[in-house]
Amino acid sequence: MNADKNLLSLSARNPGEPFCRALRNSYIFVSTLVVISLHAALLLPNGLTLAAIGDLLQVGLVAAATVFSFQNATRTRSRLRAFWLLICFGCGTWLTSLSIWSVYELYLHKPAPDLPFADLLLFLKLVPLTAAIFLEPQRPSVSRFRAFGLLDVCILVVYSLYLFSFCALVYRLLPGAVDVYNFQFNVADAIGNQLLLIAVGSAIFRADGEWKALYRIYFAFGAAYCLASSLSNAAIDLGKYYTGSLYDVPFTAAIAALVCFTRVGGQVSSAKESDTPALLSNEEAARSSFVSTYLAMFVTLSAPAIGIWLLTTHVSLPQLFPVRLGITLLTIFILTLLLSIKLDLLTTSLLRTLQGLSATYTRIERFENHLIQTEKLTSLGEAVARSANQIKEAMISIRELARGLSKRVSVDPKVPSMSSKIAHYALRTDNLVQNMLRFAQETPIQLSPTELKPLLDSAIQLSRIAKLPNLRVNLRAQEDCQSVQGDSSQLLHVFLQLLSNAADALEESGGTLDISLASVGSQLLIQFADSGPGIKDPEHVFEPFYTTKPVGKGTGLGLSTCYGIIQQHKGEIFCRNRPEGGALFVITLPAVTTDKVPVAAPEPEVVGESL
Amino acid sequence: MKLPARHKIYLLLGALLLVAHLFVAALAKPSYTLTMIGDAFPCALLLLAILSVRENSQNNSGILPQFWKLIAAGLVFVSLSQIYWFYFDTMRLYASPSPVPGDTFFLLAHVFFLLAFTLRPHILFSGRDLRIRRLDFALLALWWFALYAYFAIPWQLFGQDFAKYNPAYYLLSFIQHLVIVAVLVVLTLKHSDEWRRFYACFLLAFILIGAGNLLLSVEIDRGNYYSGSFYDTPFLVAVYCFSVVAALSSSYQPTKSASPDWEYRQNRWTARIAMLGILSMPIIAFFGFYEKGVSPEIVAFRLRMVFGAMFVLGILVFWKINLLARELVHLVQLTQASVENLKSVQARLAHSQKLSALGRLAAGAAHEISNPLTAILGYSELLADIPSLTPDDRRQAEAIQRQVHHAQAAVNSLRDSLRDPSAGDRIGAAKPGTS
């Protein structure tokens, strides 16, 4: 036990604190139970008390394992949940068979009769317990292949049931073949146990970190159980077995290990689950389909092969022939049914992938068409940038000159005041131009604390909406508005776009556009409410290429770009029609606490005093 | 309509053969010679049909070559069955020992025909899933043959019992013809153009084959039939129909194009039918095992056949699962790649969006900049006019004026570039848009 403990603590590479504690507690738990059952077996005589202790201990432990694994299943998601559900299913099956025996022994006070059903459950529990390993819960899940995994488990369950009934259960039908049945049962049980051990052993090699430690506990359970069931089977055959005897001690240890496994497993999560599905590499996809496909293939092909074997050798046991033939045909039927479902699922997901693919292709095509149209604008961008740079340089030197003039001790008092005015106008022009330049550069989004009010002001100034005669723009801003973490040029783009939209809506009829800026909790709320005709379908305006404008006028991309920008700012944009008429666009952006913000926005000077 | 020269020759030869057959059937009495001639007619006509179909399989585009190849394969199987009868009737001078090989060929031929028609040759599609579809049809063919082997063959294998064999075989081939005719009726009704004629011709051929077969079986049982009689006529006309369709459609091209997922949806139904077929096998075996009054050797044969068939069918199913899984992985990777592509295109588009917005912005800005520039100019002129200014300061004021002129020139060139017809039109078009 000690050696085991060392191994376990070494193996966990970077286990968290709760994991280590759980691991430590589990050793204490297992050792305590082993000691208790050892004492009971040695001190108490064969009788009802001992049987009660032995039975209740086992039933209680398996029940605990069932509950814990169920708890784990409720706490986890996707593949990990499937894993714990399988474990829970296995424990539940085991619990049922143990309970049946206990009821006979403790409640009905008679030796348990041979119960094929309980035997079947006892054997069957190994299947989900083994199949769970094949789900490889330690790997991040690839959702597309999850459904197949469960189907494969079903196939495995059906197949093991078939093999068990074919090899062992049928002998119950033969009078006087109980010995053969018992022997076959023991063989089947041993094979099942060893398969479980092999599966867990190989899983230990593939896993690392906490999962490796967890698999080791599971392996300890498997090994102890394997030993216990061989021992007790031998003892039963010799007639030396009674409930609670020394032969039950390894059983108790095994079940205790299983409880620890489910308990400690609650601390372990699946491999770092990323939000975006990882790129599916070739070999990984191949591997995930390899195991399941070939397993299912072996299973499905072996059933008809067994059938043919049965037909050629059925002379030896003619009484069993019809039953065996029947269950073989039934198994073939069920397996084929499961395979059909699998095929259909494959085709369905193929179809869905294909539809997604063709949708993406269509979008790329449309985007590219649009790109070709707008690519000629690049030269314009360069021209604008060139002019803007020239203006900027001129403004810088004007400011220098004006500052020089204002510092001069001049005779005329008008000189400093005039030169400061010149400097002021130069600064404003410079800011305008800089905004434009920043806009022209292709820069990734740069988030810095930005005040929205000045940005809204300059947007209104720059937009053509200010020049429309029959249109009034009201900007109401809450006094103590916080800043947002944002890219000022991108946000300016959004505001310009919304203003231009409003201008389009109000151009002919005229009206008012009310813009309000307010902070609500930790959010900043910007609303654009116009008195125009409203939007035809507000749900779709943010979709690319949605436009209500005549062909050639609108490209239907502006609002979708806005949507993208606001999303990048972790904000929201939506729109609806106001009940009193007109459209309402609402933007919410997360605010930054003002005291931490170094006031770095260059704009305030521009907007502080308007023309 | 202009027909290719070879098709003309085939049609002419076929017509001559038909006339000869009618002539012989009307005049000749049953004899060895008549049997030989009567059995030779279908073989010759089938050969002509295969040749004309082959002609098309090299010319058409889309899925049509595949279609014609499948039709040719079906015709080859029909010919094999005919040659089988011909061989025993004329060369060996006695009735064939077992009808099983000839009937097998005949049944399998129709699986090829069915596969051909469900390809829907009038639709242009990539044929990407053709491998999977072929597998499905291999499954169906195998299943169909297993049914034949289950219901009919035992009555030949364990003592010839035509009273039990014939009904089973007739029923199977009748169902087969019914299915093909139903498929063709649907296809014919769905079209109104040249494809309607195309499918209608096939429909006629298969109705003739089906009806002729039914008539033949009845007359054989009555003992009225002999090779070369008028009872052969429907079949011969049907075979001639194949040559006619091939000639008519020698220049057809697939017209409609289908969405790619249409193929998979089609394939899905074929797959479901195939799986249903496989599922029926164990059920049939189950009932066969408990059937009364069947000799144990037949039961054993049937069970062995079912298990063997299930084994082979299982291999085919896994082959298919493998293909599908590989296809899925391929598609998933393709999707991921195209999403990446979409992202980059979107980024580029966002940039060009910005540029077009820049155009609008610049137009507004040009106006906005002019005002302060005028103000600066005015102030600097006023400054320069102040008489008490030192010459140095005056130079500074003039320098400011020069800079303003520079800036104004830049604004003007900005306006010019916005007004430039090559770029300006575009801006004008994009200006109110981008919503």
Side-chain angles (χ1 to χ4, degrees):
Chain A
M1 205 86 218
N2 263 332
D4 206 352
K5 183 176 173 178
N6 282 338
L7 260 178
L8 280 169
S9 46
L10 274 178
S11 66
R13 213 177 35 195
N14 274 328
E17 181 57 32
F19 182 77
C20 282
R21 207 178 317 124
L23 216 57
R24 219 173 303 123
N25 290 343
S26 68
Y27 300 130
I28 300 169
F29 180 68
V30 174
S31 334
T32 317
L33 283 176
V34 168
V35 169
I36 290 175
S37 56
L38 205 62
H39 276 79
L42 290 175
L43 297 178
L44 293 172
N46 182 8
L48 189 64
T49 328
L50 184 62
I53 291 175
D55 276 341
L56 289 180
L57 197 62
Q58 287 186 6
V59 171
L61 282 175
V62 176
T66 315
V67 171
F68 287 151
S69 50
F70 185 73
Q71 263 182 355
N72 291 346
T74 54
R75 281 196 205 120
T76 46
R77 292 193 298 123
S78 66
R79 200 206 289 255
L80 203 53
R81 168 172 284 178
F83 174 79
W84 286 117
L85 278 180
L86 279 176
I87 300 275
C88 179
F89 175 52
C91 292
T93 321
W94 195 0
L95 182 65
T96 319
S97 77
L98 278 182
S99 312
I100 293 173
W101 270 304
S102 304
V103 165
Y104 267 103
E105 219 168 27
L106 301 178
Y107 186 70
L108 302 173
H109 294 296
K110 53 184 179 186
D114 269 338
L115 288 170
F117 177 66
D119 279 355
L120 183 67
L121 287 180
L122 192 65
F123 171 77
L124 193 66
K125 72 165 190 301
L126 289 171
V127 181
L129 289 182
T130 314
I133 302 296
F134 287 118
L135 286 182
E136 299 202 303
Q138 71 271 20
R139 287 200 296 133
S141 68
V142 182
S143 59
R144 266 171 237 277
F145 294 97
R146 206 189 308 147
F148 310 145
L150 275 178
L151 265 177
D152 288 328
V153 171
C154 284
I155 290 177
L156 267 184
V157 170
V158 170
Y159 189 65
S160 350
L161 260 179
Y162 164 66
L163 279 188
F164 183 72
S165 343
F166 190 91
C167 298
L169 215 54
V170 283
Y171 286 100
R172 303 289 310 200
L173 299 171
L174 274 186
V178 177
D179 286 347
V180 183
Y181 167 74
N182 280 340
F183 175 72
Q184 299 279 53
F185 175 82
N186 291 349
V187 169
D189 204 38
I191 291 176
N193 284 331
Q194 272 149 33
L195 281 180
L196 174 69
L197 270 188
I198 292 170
V200 183
S202 66
I204 292 177
F205 281 106
R206 273 176 291 156
D208 51 7
E210 297 185 343
W211 275 103
K212 203 170 190 127
L214 196 62
Y215 278 141
R216 286 194 174 162
I217 303 180
Y218 202 41
F219 189 77
F221 152 72
Y225 185 74
C226 199
L227 178 77
S229 71
S230 321
L231 263 181
S232 62
N233 282 339
I236 290 172
D237 289 349
L238 292 173
K240 284 184 180 169
Y241 177 85
Y242 56 90
T243 310
S245 65
L246 271 179
Y247 300 106
D248 261 3
V249 176
F251 257 128
T252 313
I255 306 173
L258 185 64
V259 175
C260 294
F261 170 68
T262 51
R263 190 79 187 125
V264 175
Q267 311 287 339
V268 180
S269 61
S270 177
K272 35 280 147 201
E273 275 190 45
S274 51
D275 289 337
T276 48
L279 218 71
L280 195 64
S281 69
N282 248 333
E283 68 251 62
E284 194 176 352
R287 200 159 63 110
S288 69
S289 61
F290 177 84
V291 178
S292 77
T293 310
Y294 284 92
L295 197 74
M297 176 161 115
F298 168 74
V299 162
T300 323
L301 289 185
S302 69
I306 291 174
I308 293 172
W309 170 80
L310 185 67
L311 284 173
T312 45
T313 59
H314 74 279
V315 247
S316 54
L317 279 169
Q319 309 97 304
L320 296 182
F321 176 70
V323 183
R324 283 183 154 173
L325 186 76
I327 56 173
T328 306
L329 287 174
L330 186 70
T331 310
I332 291 179
F333 182 78
I334 296 172
L335 287 180
T336 318
L337 197 67
L338 287 173
L339 269 187
S340 316
I341 297 171
K342 185 171 170 154
L343 267 178
D344 216 59
L345 273 177
L346 256 175
T347 322
T348 311
S349 73
L350 205 62
L351 217 91
R352 209 171 303 140
T353 317
L354 204 71
Q355 279 163 350
L357 192 65
S358 63
T360 319
Y361 272 140
T362 323
R363 286 180 69 186
I364 290 180
E365 214 171 296
R366 284 161 85 183
F367 276 138
E368 268 177 348
N369 282 343
H370 194 75
L371 256 185
I372 294 163
Q373 281 177 24
T374 53
E375 223 135 50
K376 286 173 192 161
L377 286 171
T378 317
S379 62
L380 173 85
E382 283 163 9
V384 170
R386 208 169 36 242
S387 301
N389 264 324
Q390 282 170 5
I391 298 171
K392 196 175 117 188
E393 276 161 22
M395 289 309 119
I396 289 171
S397 46
I398 288 176
R399 278 170 69 192
E400 283 295 315
L401 290 165
R403 199 176 300 141
L405 268 176
S406 65
K407 274 182 195 153
R408 246 8 112 73
V409 191
S410 179
V411 203
D412 199 314
K414 276 192 278 183
V415 172
S417 83
M418 276 183 180
S419 46
S420 77
K421 270 180 181 144
I422 289 177
H424 167 70
Y425 282 119
L427 179 64
R428 195 163 75 197
T429 316
D430 190 22
N431 276 328
L432 264 171
V433 170
Q434 267 186 15
N435 261 349
M436 212 161 77
L437 264 180
R438 215 174 306 142
F439 202 81
Q441 285 155 0
E442 188 183 10
T443 44
I445 184 165
Q446 285 173 333
L447 298 178
S448 58
T450 312
E451 280 193 60
L452 290 182
K453 168 100 180 16
L455 216 54
L456 278 170
D457 279 326
S458 60
I460 294 169
Q461 271 185 34
L462 286 172
S463 163
R464 70 198 173 92
I465 202 164
K467 280 132 220 154
L468 291 175
N470 50 357
L471 214 159
R472 237 189 33 239
V473 183
N474 302 322
L475 172 60
R476 279 183 298 112
Q478 203 176 303
E479 275 307 307
D480 51 343
C481 251
Q482 292 152 310
S483 305
V484 295
Q485 197 71 19
D487 185 316
S488 54
S489 93
Q490 302 251 34
L491 289 177
L492 185 66
H493 186 182
V494 173
F495 297 151
L496 280 172
Q497 182 62 51
L498 291 179
L499 287 171
S500 136
N501 256 36
D504 289 339
L506 300 173
E507 197 162 14
E508 278 156 33
S509 57
T512 54
L513 172 67
D514 290 308
I515 305 171
S516 69
L517 171 67
S519 51
V520 180
S522 62
Q523 300 276 317
L524 278 180
L525 191 71
I526 309 129
Q527 300 190 61
F528 286 72
D530 66 46
S531 62
I535 314 155
K536 211 185 280 165
D537 31 4
E539 309 84 63
H540 297 299
V541 289
F542 295 111
E543 286 169 11
F545 301 105
Y546 174 85
T547 177
T548 54
K549 289 166 194 164
V551 179
K553 239 193 149 191
T555 58
L557 274 170
L559 282 178
S560 77
T561 316
C562 290
Y563 185 79
I565 291 172
I566 295 298
Q567 275 211 320
Q568 279 182 313
H569 284 78
K570 299 188 173 58
E572 273 180 62
I573 179 168
F574 58 89
C575 79
R576 57 162 188 266
N577 286 319
R578 296 195 295 165
E580 59 266 40
L584 174 69
F585 281 85
V586 181
I587 302 173
T588 59
L589 288 166
V592 276
T593 37
T594 351
D595 43 311
K596 280 182 194 165
V597 178
V599 182
E603 281 82 4
E605 292 172 61
V606 181
V607 198
E609 328 152 28
S610 87
L611 280 167
Chain B
M1 179 181 235
K2 190 157 168 12
L3 292 178
R6 283 199 192 170
H7 276 301
K8 271 187 196 158
I9 297 170
Y10 297 145
L11 281 181
L12 195 69
L13 282 175
L16 283 178
L17 278 170
L18 270 184
V19 172
H21 157 74
L22 289 175
F23 195 66
V24 169
L27 296 182
K29 292 275 167 290
S31 67
Y32 171 69
T33 328
L34 181 63
T35 306
M36 204 162 84
I37 295 172
D39 278 353
F41 276 131
C43 293
L45 266 169
L46 277 165
L47 186 69
L48 283 178
I50 291 170
L51 283 174
S52 39
V53 165
R54 239 187 66 84
E55 196 68 24
N56 276 8
S57 74
Q58 290 160 355
N59 294 335
N60 299 135
S61 69
I63 203 70
L64 271 172
Q66 296 276 354
F67 170 80
W68 288 119
K69 272 178 200 156
L70 283 169
I71 294 282
L75 286 172
V76 166
F77 269 79
V78 174
S79 322
L80 282 176
S81 137
Q82 287 297 326
I83 289 168
Y84 180 81
W85 298 120
F86 181 72
Y87 173 73
F88 281 104
D89 279 356
T90 52
M91 304 290 182
R92 307 292 293 267
L93 297 178
Y94 59 83
S96 63
S98 158
V100 172
D103 289 349
T104 308
F105 286 137
F106 197 72
L107 282 178
L108 286 183
H110 287 76
V111 176
F112 282 98
F113 291 138
L114 194 61
L115 172 55
F117 291 123
T118 52
L119 278 184
R120 302 230 222 160
H122 60 278
I123 288 177
L124 189 72
F125 76 100
S126 64
R128 208 181 144 65
D129 68 332
L130 216 59
R131 268 187 316 171
I132 295 167
R133 186 180 279 244
R134 278 202 204 114
L135 265 179
D136 278 331
F137 267 87
L139 279 170
L140 271 179
L142 197 66
W143 173 67
W144 195 245
F145 181 70
L147 284 187
Y148 174 62
Y150 188 93
F151 288 109
I153 289 182
W155 310 116
Q156 287 293 327
L157 219 55
F158 307 98
Q160 285 203 329
D161 186 348
F162 279 99
K164 283 185 172 167
Y165 171 85
N166 280 349
Y169 170 69
Y170 292 153
L171 188 67
L172 279 174
S173 71
F174 181 68
I175 291 172
Q176 224 177 13
H177 283 127
L178 221 56
V179 171
I180 293 184
V181 166
V183 168
L184 281 171
V185 165
V186 172
L187 284 173
T188 311
L189 290 181
K190 263 184 155 179
H191 295 92
S192 53
D193 45 3
E194 51 178 19
W195 289 102
R196 180 174 211 151
R197 197 172 51 194
F198 178 81
Y199 288 121
C201 264
F202 275 118
L203 181 62
L204 176 70
F206 279 97
I207 288 177
L208 279 175
I209 292 180
N213 246 26
L214 213 60
L215 180 73
L216 214 69
S217 52
V218 171
E219 293 304 321
I220 287 175
D221 287 353
R222 282 191 190 160
N224 289 340
Y225 173 79
Y226 58 89
S227 287
S229 63
F230 279 117
Y231 298 116
D232 278 348
T233 315
F235 180 72
L236 293 179
V237 174
V239 174
Y240 187 63
C241 276
F242 279 91
S243 299
V244 173
V245 188
L248 283 179
S249 61
S250 60
S251 59
Y252 279 18
Q253 300 298 342
T255 44
K256 268 191 219 158
S257 63
S259 65
D261 56 330
W262 178 86
E263 296 168 33
Y264 287 93
R265 213 165 286 155
Q266 284 289 303
N267 188 36
R268 203 173 176 184
W269 281 104
T270 327
R272 281 181 183 155
I273 294 168
M275 287 315 282
L276 271 183
I278 299 173
L279 272 177
S280 71
M281 293 302 298
I283 299 175
I284 292 172
F286 194 75
F287 286 108
F289 181 65
Y290 291 105
E291 195 182 330
K292 297 276 176 299
V294 180
S295 73
E297 49 187 356
I298 289 182
V299 172
F301 167 79
R302 283 177 164 178
L303 285 176
R304 231 169 256 165
M305 199 276 305
V306 166
F307 283 128
M310 288 305 297
F311 193 80
V312 181
L313 287 172
I315 291 176
L316 287 179
V317 167
F318 278 103
W319 192 354
K320 192 181 153 188
I321 287 183
N322 236 347
L323 279 182
L324 277 177
R326 222 176 292 158
E327 181 88 355
L328 184 63
V329 168
H330 175 71
L331 276 184
V332 167
Q333 282 166 347
L334 220 61
T335 310
Q336 281 163 346
S338 70
V339 166
E340 294 298 309
N341 195 356
L342 180 66
K343 273 186 195 157
S344 87
V345 172
Q346 256 171 331
R348 273 163 64 205
L349 192 58
H351 180 57
S352 88
Q353 271 299 300
K354 224 161 82 173
L355 282 177
S356 84
L358 178 69
R360 259 176 300 140
L361 191 78
H367 178 75
E368 208 61 44
I369 291 168
S370 310
N371 286 339
L373 280 185
T374 321
I376 295 174
L377 193 63
Y379 281 121
S380 62
E381 273 165 4
L382 280 177
L383 260 181
D385 285 348
I386 293 173
S388 61
L389 218 60
T390 60
D392 201 26
D393 287 352
R394 200 179 307 278
R395 252 201 320 279
Q396 299 243 355
E398 280 161 7
I400 291 181
Q401 284 175 34
R402 267 202 306 282
Q403 291 296 341
V404 172
H405 288 309
H406 276 309
Q408 276 173 336
V411 171
N412 283 337
S413 86
L414 180 66
R415 280 196 177 130
D416 284 345
S417 64
L418 290 176
R419 221 176 284 125
D420 179 68
S422 65
D425 281 356
R426 208 144 276 295
I427 293 301
K431 188 177 161 183
T434 21
S435 83

